Amino acid sequence: MLVLLPPSEGKASSGRGAPLKPESLSLPGLAAARAAVLAELVDLCTGDEDKAREVLGLSEGLRGEVAKNAALRTAGARPAGEIYTGVLYDALGLASLDAAAKKRAARSLLVFSGLWGAVRVTDRIPSYRCSMGVKLPGLGALGTHWRKPMAEVLPEAAGTGLVLDLRSAAYAAAWRPKGEVASRTATVRVLHAPTRKVVSHFNKATKGRMVRSLLAAGIAPGGPAELVEALRELGYEVEAQAPAKAGQAWSLDVLVAEVH
């Protein structure tokens, strides 16, 4: 099972660990694309601060994020699972999983990123600010920048089992499973059961809890149909729509009674 996650806008501080070692990151086929984004982002943020804020879409109150990006090469690095925070990651609760579930998380979870492309939760990275929606002056739109290297690397990373795609639209645009991989991919919406309306905040929390439930139970479904069965056994109310034709992903709706 491979679970595709969005990053979080807010991130924990880098801490005092050893600095980034780009060669240590998973998915080495993304190394050249990562190096290009890192170089331009650091260059941008060591120059005109106001221009950097404009490019990155940062408010005056987030001015400090520019300096953070300027120091990416020397800042302390921590496991990505500790860097990413926010509603989904709070609900996922990686730190409180038992040892076996943590190993499953290390194998299964892949976090998409405007800067790194995609990383495992065990990859050591510094805190940064660079969303997939950013358009860098030299490289252009990051979603477009990542499409070719992702298309070359991700099908192999997907293995032969389920691909559970929980990414938001901006990050999903960087890689869309195709062909045989798409046929064993499931995307998820979280709906308010009484109204069938898509929920926002509770969407992230539900997805985090859902992944935690699978990891804690040691369940690795082989495909979307098995995922639906597993989630129902874990107490989730799920409606599934199989693809109309080959080469398309399954669509799953997880229904929740409360909207927080």
Side-chain angles (χ1 to χ4, degrees), residues 1-8 87-89 91-94 108-113 121 154 162-177 184-191 198-215 221 224 227-228 231 236 238 249-254:
M1 177 176 69
L2 183 68
V3 182
L4 311 181
L5 298 174
S8 57
V87 176
L88 188 153
Y89 291 91
L92 175 54
L94 287 171
S108 302
L109 306 186
L110 199 62
V111 184
F112 275 62
S113 162
V121 292
L154 266 294
L162 170 73
V163 177
L164 176 54
D165 190 351
L166 302 180
R167 298 171 296 166
S168 54
Y171 292 90
W175 180 62
R176 297 188 187 280
R184 49 188 168 86
T185 296
T187 61
V188 175
R189 297 188 307 173
V190 179
L191 304 182
V198 176
V199 301
S200 53
H201 175 91
F202 205 59
N203 164 64
K204 296 178 181 179
T206 300
K207 288 178 178 178
R209 282 197 289 270
M210 185 173 67
V211 175
R212 181 184 176 88
S213 297
L214 292 168
L215 293 172
L227 172 65
V228 173
L231 290 175
Y236 293 89
V238 182
W250 285 54
S251 299
L252 273 58
D253 289 338
V254 177

Coordinates of all heavy atoms in Angstrom, one line a residue, residues 1-8 87-89 91-94 108-113 121 154 162-177 184-191 198-215 221 224 227-228 231 236 238 249-254:
M1 N 0.8 -1.2 0.0 CA 0.0 0.0 0.0 C 0.9 1.2 0.0 O 1.8 1.3 0.8 CB -0.9 0.0 1.2 CG -1.8 1.3 1.4 SD -2.9 1.2 2.8 CE -1.8 1.3 4.2
L2 N 0.5 2.2 -0.9 CA 1.2 3.5 -0.9 C 0.2 4.5 -0.7 O -0.8 4.6 -1.4 CB 1.9 3.7 -2.3 CG 2.7 5.0 -2.4 CD1 3.9 5.0 -1.5 CD2 3.1 5.3 -3.8
V3 N 0.4 5.4 0.3 CA -0.6 6.4 0.7 C 0.1 7.8 0.3 O 1.1 8.1 0.8 CB -0.9 6.4 2.2 CG1 -1.9 7.5 2.5 CG2 -1.4 5.1 2.6
L4 N -0.6 8.5 -0.6 CA -0.1 9.8 -1.0 C -0.8 10.9 -0.2 O -2.0 11.0 -0.2 CB -0.5 10.0 -2.5 CG -0.1 8.8 -3.5 CD1 -0.5 9.2 -4.9 CD2 1.3 8.5 -3.4
L5 N 0.0 11.7 0.5 CA -0.5 12.7 1.4 C -0.1 14.1 0.9 O 1.0 14.3 0.3 CB 0.1 12.5 2.8 CG -0.3 11.2 3.5 CD1 0.5 11.2 4.8 CD2 -1.8 11.2 3.8
P6 N -0.9 15.1 1.2 CA -0.4 16.5 1.0 C 0.5 16.9 2.1 O 0.4 16.3 3.2 CB -1.8 17.3 1.0 CG -2.6 16.5 2.0 CD -2.2 15.1 1.8
P7 N 1.3 18.0 2.0 CA 2.1 18.5 3.1 C 1.1 19.3 4.0 O -0.1 19.4 3.7 CB 3.1 19.3 2.4 CG 2.4 19.8 1.2 CD 1.5 18.8 0.8
S8 N 1.7 20.0 4.9 CA 1.0 21.0 5.7 C 1.6 22.4 5.4 O 2.8 22.5 5.2 CB 1.0 20.7 7.2 OG 2.4 20.6 7.7
V87 N -3.9 19.7 10.9 CA -5.0 18.9 11.2 C -4.8 17.4 10.8 O -5.0 16.5 11.6 CB -6.3 19.4 10.6 CG1 -7.5 18.5 10.8 CG2 -6.6 20.8 11.1
L88 N -4.4 17.2 9.6 CA -4.3 15.8 9.1 C -3.2 15.1 9.9 O -3.4 13.9 10.4 CB -3.9 15.8 7.6 CG -3.9 14.4 6.9 CD1 -4.2 14.6 5.4 CD2 -2.6 13.7 7.1
Y89 N -2.0 15.7 10.1 CA -0.9 15.1 10.8 C -1.2 14.9 12.3 O -0.7 14.0 12.9 CB 0.4 15.8 10.5 CG 0.8 15.6 9.0 CD1 0.3 16.5 8.1 CD2 1.5 14.6 8.6 CE1 0.6 16.3 6.7 CE2 1.8 14.4 7.3 CZ 1.4 15.2 6.3 OH 1.6 15.0 5.0
A91 N -4.2 14.3 13.5 CA -5.0 13.1 13.6 C -4.3 11.8 13.3 O -4.6 10.7 13.8 CB -6.2 13.3 12.6
L92 N -3.3 11.9 12.4 CA -2.5 10.7 12.0 C -1.7 10.3 13.2 O -1.5 9.1 13.5 CB -1.6 11.0 10.8 CG -0.6 10.0 10.4 CD1 -1.2 8.7 10.1 CD2 0.1 10.5 9.1
G93 N -1.1 11.2 14.0 CA -0.4 10.9 15.2 C 0.7 9.9 15.1 O 0.8 9.0 15.8
L94 N 1.6 10.2 14.2 CA 2.7 9.3 13.9 C 3.5 8.9 15.2 O 3.9 7.8 15.4 CB 3.7 9.9 12.8 CG 3.2 9.9 11.4 CD1 4.1 10.7 10.5 CD2 3.0 8.5 10.9
S108 N 4.9 3.1 3.8 CA 3.7 3.3 3.1 C 3.4 4.8 2.7 O 2.7 5.1 1.8 CB 2.5 2.7 3.8 OG 2.6 1.4 4.1
L109 N 3.8 5.7 3.6 CA 3.4 7.1 3.4 C 4.4 7.9 2.6 O 5.6 7.8 2.7 CB 3.3 7.8 4.8 CG 2.4 7.1 5.8 CD1 2.3 7.9 7.1 CD2 1.0 6.7 5.3
L110 N 3.8 8.7 1.7 CA 4.6 9.5 0.8 C 4.0 10.9 0.8 O 2.8 11.1 0.4 CB 4.6 8.9 -0.6 CG 5.7 9.4 -1.6 CD1 7.1 9.0 -1.1 CD2 5.5 8.8 -3.0
V111 N 4.7 11.9 1.2 CA 4.2 13.3 1.3 C 4.7 14.1 0.2 O 5.9 14.2 -0.1 CB 4.7 13.9 2.6 CG1 4.1 15.3 2.8 CG2 4.4 13.1 3.9
F112 N 3.7 14.7 -0.6 CA 4.1 15.5 -1.7 C 4.5 16.9 -1.3 O 4.0 17.4 -0.2 CB 2.9 15.5 -2.7 CG 2.9 14.4 -3.6 CD1 2.8 13.1 -3.1 CD2 3.1 14.5 -5.0 CE1 2.8 12.0 -4.0 CE2 3.1 13.4 -5.9 CZ 3.0 12.2 -5.4
S113 N 5.3 17.6 -2.1 CA 5.9 18.8 -1.6 C 6.3 19.6 -2.9 O 6.9 19.1 -3.8 CB 7.2 18.5 -0.8 OG 8.0 19.7 -0.7
V121 N 8.1 9.8 5.3 CA 8.0 10.5 6.6 C 9.3 10.3 7.4 O 9.5 11.1 8.3 CB 6.8 10.0 7.4 CG1 5.5 10.4 6.7 CG2 6.9 8.5 7.6
L154 N 7.4 7.7 -9.9 CA 6.3 7.2 -9.0 C 5.7 5.9 -9.4 O 5.3 5.1 -8.5 CB 5.2 8.3 -8.9 CG 5.3 9.3 -7.8 CD1 5.1 8.6 -6.4 CD2 6.6 10.0 -7.7
L162 N -2.3 -1.4 -3.5 CA -3.2 -0.2 -3.5 C -2.4 1.1 -3.4 O -1.4 1.2 -2.8 CB -4.1 -0.3 -2.2 CG -4.9 1.0 -1.9 CD1 -6.1 1.1 -2.8 CD2 -5.4 0.9 -0.4
V163 N -2.9 2.1 -4.2 CA -2.5 3.5 -4.0 C -3.6 4.3 -3.5 O -4.7 4.4 -4.1 CB -2.0 4.1 -5.4 CG1 -1.6 5.5 -5.2 CG2 -0.9 3.3 -6.0
L164 N -3.5 4.8 -2.3 CA -4.5 5.5 -1.6 C -4.2 7.0 -1.7 O -3.2 7.5 -1.1 CB -4.7 5.1 -0.1 CG -5.6 5.9 0.7 CD1 -7.0 5.9 0.1 CD2 -5.7 5.3 2.1
D165 N -4.9 7.7 -2.6 CA -4.5 9.1 -2.9 C -5.4 10.1 -2.1 O -6.6 10.3 -2.3 CB -4.8 9.3 -4.4 CG -4.2 10.7 -4.9 OD1 -3.8 11.5 -4.1 OD2 -4.2 10.9 -6.1
L166 N -4.7 10.7 -1.1 CA -5.4 11.7 -0.2 C -5.0 13.1 -0.4 O -5.2 14.0 0.4 CB -5.2 11.3 1.2 CG -5.6 9.9 1.6 CD1 -5.3 9.6 3.1 CD2 -7.1 9.6 1.3
R167 N -4.3 13.4 -1.6 CA -3.8 14.7 -1.8 C -4.9 15.7 -2.2 O -5.9 15.4 -2.7 CB -2.8 14.6 -3.0 CG -1.6 13.7 -2.7 CD -0.7 13.5 -4.0 NE -1.5 12.8 -5.0 CZ -1.1 12.8 -6.3 NH1 0.0 13.4 -6.7 NH2 -1.9 12.1 -7.2
S168 N -4.5 17.0 -2.0 CA -5.4 18.1 -2.4 C -5.1 18.3 -3.9 O -4.1 17.8 -4.5 CB -5.1 19.3 -1.6 OG -3.7 19.6 -1.7
A169 N -6.0 19.1 -4.6 CA -5.9 19.2 -6.0 C -4.5 19.7 -6.5 O -4.0 19.2 -7.5 CB -7.0 20.2 -6.5
A170 N -4.0 20.7 -5.8 CA -2.7 21.3 -6.3 C -1.6 20.2 -6.3 O -0.8 20.2 -7.3 CB -2.3 22.4 -5.4
Y171 N -1.6 19.3 -5.4 CA -0.5 18.3 -5.3 C -0.9 17.1 -6.2 O 0.1 16.5 -6.7 CB -0.3 17.9 -3.8 CG 0.3 19.0 -3.1 CD1 -0.5 20.0 -2.4 CD2 1.7 19.2 -3.0 CE1 0.1 21.1 -1.8 CE2 2.2 20.3 -2.4 CZ 1.4 21.2 -1.7 OH 2.0 22.3 -1.1
A172 N -2.1 16.8 -6.4 CA -2.5 15.8 -7.3 C -2.1 16.1 -8.7 O -1.8 15.2 -9.5 CB -4.0 15.5 -7.2
A173 N -2.1 17.4 -9.1 CA -1.7 17.7 -10.4 C -0.3 17.4 -10.8 O 0.1 17.3 -11.9 CB -1.9 19.2 -10.6
A174 N 0.6 17.2 -9.8 CA 2.0 16.9 -10.0 C 2.2 15.5 -10.5 O 3.2 15.2 -11.2 CB 2.8 17.2 -8.8
W175 N 1.3 14.6 -10.2 CA 1.4 13.2 -10.7 C 0.0 12.6 -10.6 O -0.6 12.5 -9.5 CB 2.3 12.3 -9.8 CG 2.4 10.9 -10.4 CD1 2.8 10.5 -11.6 CD2 2.0 9.7 -9.7 NE1 2.7 9.2 -11.7 CE2 2.2 8.7 -10.6 CE3 1.5 9.5 -8.4 CZ2 1.9 7.3 -10.2 CZ3 1.2 8.2 -8.0 CH2 1.4 7.1 -8.9
R176 N -0.5 12.1 -11.7 CA -1.8 11.4 -11.8 C -1.5 10.0 -12.2 O -1.0 9.8 -13.3 CB -2.7 12.1 -12.8 CG -3.0 13.6 -12.4 CD -4.1 14.1 -13.2 NE -4.3 15.6 -13.0 CZ -5.1 16.0 -12.0 NH1 -5.6 15.2 -11.1 NH2 -5.2 17.3 -11.8
P177 N -1.8 9.0 -11.4 CA -1.6 7.6 -11.8 C -2.3 7.3 -13.1 O -3.5 7.8 -13.3 CB -2.3 6.9 -10.6 CG -2.2 7.8 -9.5 CD -2.4 9.2 -10.0
R184 N -5.7 0.6 -9.6 CA -5.6 0.2 -8.2 C -5.4 1.4 -7.3 O -4.9 1.3 -6.2 CB -4.6 -0.9 -8.0 CG -3.2 -0.6 -8.6 CD -2.3 -1.8 -8.5 NE -1.1 -1.7 -9.3 CZ 0.0 -1.0 -8.9 NH1 0.1 -0.5 -7.7 NH2 1.1 -1.0 -9.6
T185 N -5.9 2.5 -7.8 CA -5.8 3.8 -7.0 C -7.2 4.1 -6.5 O -8.2 4.0 -7.3 CB -5.2 4.9 -7.9 OG1 -3.9 4.6 -8.2 CG2 -5.3 6.2 -7.1
A186 N -7.3 4.7 -5.3 CA -8.5 5.1 -4.8 C -8.4 6.6 -4.3 O -7.4 6.8 -3.5 CB -9.0 4.2 -3.6
T187 N -9.2 7.5 -4.7 CA -9.3 8.8 -4.1 C -10.4 8.9 -3.1 O -11.4 8.1 -3.2 CB -9.5 9.9 -5.2 OG1 -10.8 9.6 -5.9 CG2 -8.4 9.8 -6.3
V188 N -10.3 9.8 -2.2 CA -11.3 9.9 -1.1 C -11.8 11.3 -0.9 O -11.1 12.3 -0.9 CB -10.6 9.4 0.2 CG1 -11.6 9.6 1.4 CG2 -10.2 8.0 0.1
R189 N -13.2 11.3 -0.8 CA -13.8 12.6 -0.3 C -14.4 12.3 1.0 O -14.8 11.1 1.3 CB -14.9 13.0 -1.3 CG -14.5 13.4 -2.7 CD -15.7 14.0 -3.4 NE -16.9 13.1 -3.5 CZ -18.1 13.5 -3.9 NH1 -18.2 14.7 -4.5 NH2 -19.1 12.6 -3.9
V190 N -14.5 13.3 1.8 CA -15.2 13.2 3.1 C -16.5 14.0 3.1 O -16.4 15.2 2.8 CB -14.3 13.6 4.3 CG1 -15.1 13.5 5.6 CG2 -13.0 12.8 4.3
L191 N -17.6 13.4 3.2 CA -18.9 14.1 3.1 C -19.7 14.1 4.4 O -19.6 13.1 5.2 CB -19.8 13.4 2.1 CG -19.2 13.2 0.6 CD1 -20.2 12.5 -0.2 CD2 -18.8 14.5 0.1
V198 N -19.4 18.2 0.8 CA -18.0 18.0 1.1 C -17.7 18.8 2.3 O -18.0 20.0 2.4 CB -17.1 18.4 -0.1 CG1 -15.6 18.3 0.3 CG2 -17.4 17.5 -1.3
V199 N -16.9 18.3 3.3 CA -16.5 19.0 4.5 C -15.1 19.5 4.3 O -14.3 18.9 3.5 CB -16.7 18.2 5.8 CG1 -18.1 17.8 6.0 CG2 -15.8 17.0 5.7
S200 N -14.7 20.5 5.0 CA -13.4 21.1 4.9 C -12.4 20.7 6.0 O -11.6 19.7 5.8 CB -13.5 22.6 4.8 OG -14.2 23.1 5.9
H201 N -12.5 21.3 7.1 CA -11.6 21.0 8.2 C -11.7 19.5 8.6 O -10.7 18.9 8.8 CB -12.0 21.9 9.4 CG -11.2 21.6 10.7 ND1 -10.0 22.2 11.0 CD2 -11.4 20.7 11.7 CE1 -9.5 21.7 12.1 NE2 -10.3 20.8 12.6
F202 N -12.9 19.0 8.8 CA -13.1 17.7 9.2 C -12.6 16.7 8.2 O -12.3 15.5 8.5 CB -14.5 17.4 9.5 CG -14.8 16.3 10.5 CD1 -14.2 16.4 11.8 CD2 -15.5 15.2 10.2 CE1 -14.4 15.3 12.7 CE2 -15.8 14.2 11.1 CZ -15.2 14.3 12.4
N203 N -12.5 17.1 6.9 CA -12.0 16.3 5.8 C -10.5 15.8 6.2 O -10.2 14.6 6.1 CB -12.0 17.1 4.5 CG -11.1 16.6 3.4 OD1 -11.3 15.5 3.0 ND2 -10.1 17.3 3.1
K204 N -9.7 16.8 6.6 CA -8.3 16.4 6.9 C -8.2 15.5 8.1 O -7.4 14.6 8.1 CB -7.5 17.7 7.1 CG -7.4 18.6 5.9 CD -6.6 19.9 6.2 CE -6.6 20.8 4.9 NZ -5.8 22.1 5.2
A205 N -9.0 15.9 9.1 CA -8.9 15.0 10.3 C -9.4 13.6 10.1 O -8.8 12.7 10.6 CB -9.8 15.7 11.4
T206 N -10.4 13.5 9.3 CA -10.9 12.1 9.0 C -9.9 11.3 8.2 O -9.7 10.1 8.4 CB -12.3 12.2 8.2 OG1 -13.2 12.9 9.0 CG2 -12.8 10.8 7.8
K207 N -9.3 12.0 7.2 CA -8.3 11.3 6.4 C -7.1 10.8 7.3 O -6.5 9.7 7.1 CB -7.8 12.1 5.3 CG -8.8 12.3 4.2 CD -8.4 13.2 3.1 CE -9.4 13.3 1.9 NZ -9.0 14.3 0.9
G208 N -6.7 11.7 8.2 CA -5.6 11.4 9.1 C -6.0 10.2 10.0 O -5.2 9.2 10.2
R209 N -7.2 10.2 10.5 CA -7.6 9.1 11.4 C -7.7 7.8 10.6 O -7.4 6.7 11.1 CB -8.9 9.4 12.1 CG -8.8 10.4 13.3 CD -10.0 10.4 14.1 NE -11.1 11.0 13.5 CZ -11.4 12.3 13.6 NH1 -10.6 13.1 14.3 NH2 -12.4 12.9 13.0
M210 N -8.2 7.9 9.4 CA -8.4 6.7 8.5 C -7.0 6.0 8.3 O -6.9 4.8 8.4 CB -9.0 7.2 7.2 CG -9.4 6.0 6.3 SD -10.3 6.6 4.9 CE -9.0 7.6 4.1
V211 N -6.0 6.8 7.9 CA -4.7 6.2 7.7 C -4.2 5.6 9.0 O -3.6 4.6 9.0 CB -3.7 7.3 7.1 CG1 -2.3 6.8 7.0 CG2 -4.2 7.8 5.8
R212 N -4.3 6.3 10.1 CA -3.9 5.8 11.4 C -4.5 4.5 11.7 O -3.9 3.5 12.1 CB -4.2 6.8 12.5 CG -3.7 6.3 13.9 CD -4.0 7.3 15.0 NE -3.6 6.7 16.3 CZ -2.4 6.9 16.8 NH1 -1.5 7.6 16.2 NH2 -2.1 6.3 18.0
S213 N -5.8 4.4 11.4 CA -6.6 3.1 11.7 C -6.0 2.0 10.9 O -5.8 0.9 11.4 CB -8.1 3.3 11.3 OG -8.7 4.3 12.1
L214 N -5.7 2.2 9.6 CA -5.1 1.2 8.7 C -3.7 0.8 9.2 O -3.4 -0.4 9.3 CB -5.0 1.7 7.3 CG -6.4 1.9 6.6 CD1 -6.1 2.6 5.3 CD2 -7.0 0.5 6.3
L215 N -2.9 1.7 9.6 CA -1.5 1.5 10.0 C -1.6 0.7 11.4 O -0.8 -0.3 11.6 CB -0.7 2.7 10.2 CG -0.4 3.5 8.9 CD1 0.2 4.9 9.2 CD2 0.5 2.7 8.0
P221 N -4.5 -3.2 2.2 CA -5.3 -3.7 1.2 C -4.6 -3.8 -0.1 O -3.8 -3.0 -0.5 CB -6.5 -2.7 1.1 CG -6.4 -2.0 2.4 CD -5.0 -1.9 2.8
P224 N -8.5 -1.2 -4.3 CA -9.6 -0.4 -3.8 C -10.8 -1.2 -3.2 O -11.3 -0.8 -2.2 CB -10.1 0.4 -5.0 CG -8.8 0.5 -5.9 CD -8.1 -0.9 -5.7
L227 N -9.8 -2.2 0.2 CA -9.8 -1.0 1.0 C -11.2 -0.7 1.6 O -11.4 -0.4 2.8 CB -9.3 0.2 0.3 CG -9.3 1.5 1.0 CD1 -8.5 1.5 2.2 CD2 -8.9 2.7 0.1
V228 N -12.2 -0.7 0.7 CA -13.6 -0.5 1.1 C -14.0 -1.4 2.2 O -14.5 -1.0 3.3 CB -14.5 -0.6 -0.1 CG1 -16.0 -0.4 0.4 CG2 -14.2 0.5 -1.1
L231 N -12.0 -0.6 5.5 CA -12.5 0.6 6.2 C -13.9 0.4 6.9 O -14.1 0.8 8.0 CB -12.6 1.8 5.2 CG -11.3 2.3 4.7 CD1 -11.6 3.4 3.6 CD2 -10.5 2.9 5.9
Y236 N -15.8 2.7 9.5 CA -16.1 3.9 8.7 C -17.3 3.6 7.7 O -17.4 2.4 7.3 CB -14.8 4.2 7.8 CG -13.7 4.7 8.7 CD1 -12.7 3.8 9.2 CD2 -13.5 6.1 8.9 CE1 -11.7 4.3 10.0 CE2 -12.5 6.5 9.7 CZ -11.6 5.7 10.2 OH -10.5 6.1 11.0
V238 N -18.6 4.0 4.2 CA -17.9 4.2 3.0 C -18.9 3.9 1.8 O -19.5 2.8 1.8 CB -16.6 3.4 2.8 CG1 -15.9 3.7 1.5 CG2 -15.7 3.7 4.0
A249 N -9.2 5.7 -11.7 CA -9.2 5.4 -10.3 C -10.6 5.2 -9.7 O -11.6 5.7 -10.3 CB -8.5 6.6 -9.6
W250 N -10.7 4.5 -8.6 CA -11.9 4.4 -7.8 C -12.1 5.7 -7.1 O -11.2 6.4 -6.7 CB -11.8 3.2 -6.8 CG -11.9 1.9 -7.4 CD1 -11.1 1.3 -8.4 CD2 -12.8 0.8 -7.0 NE1 -11.5 0.1 -8.6 CE2 -12.5 -0.3 -7.8 CE3 -13.7 0.7 -6.0 CZ2 -13.2 -1.5 -7.6 CZ3 -14.4 -0.5 -5.8 CH2 -14.1 -1.6 -6.6
S251 N -13.4 6.0 -6.8 CA -13.8 7.1 -6.0 C -14.5 6.6 -4.7 O -15.5 5.9 -4.8 CB -14.7 8.1 -6.7 OG -14.0 8.6 -7.9
L252 N -14.0 7.0 -3.6 CA -14.6 6.6 -2.3 C -15.1 7.9 -1.6 O -14.4 8.9 -1.5 CB -13.5 5.9 -1.4 CG -13.3 4.4 -1.6 CD1 -13.0 4.1 -3.0 CD2 -12.3 3.9 -0.6
D253 N -16.3 7.8 -1.0 CA -16.9 8.8 -0.2 C -16.9 8.2 1.2 O -17.6 7.2 1.5 CB -18.3 9.2 -0.6 CG -18.3 10.0 -1.9 OD1 -17.2 10.6 -2.2 OD2 -19.3 10.0 -2.6
V254 N -16.3 8.9 2.2 CA -16.4 8.5 3.6 C -17.4 9.5 4.2 O -17.2 10.7 4.2 CB -15.0 8.6 4.3 CG1 -15.1 8.3 5.8 CG2 -14.0 7.7 3.6

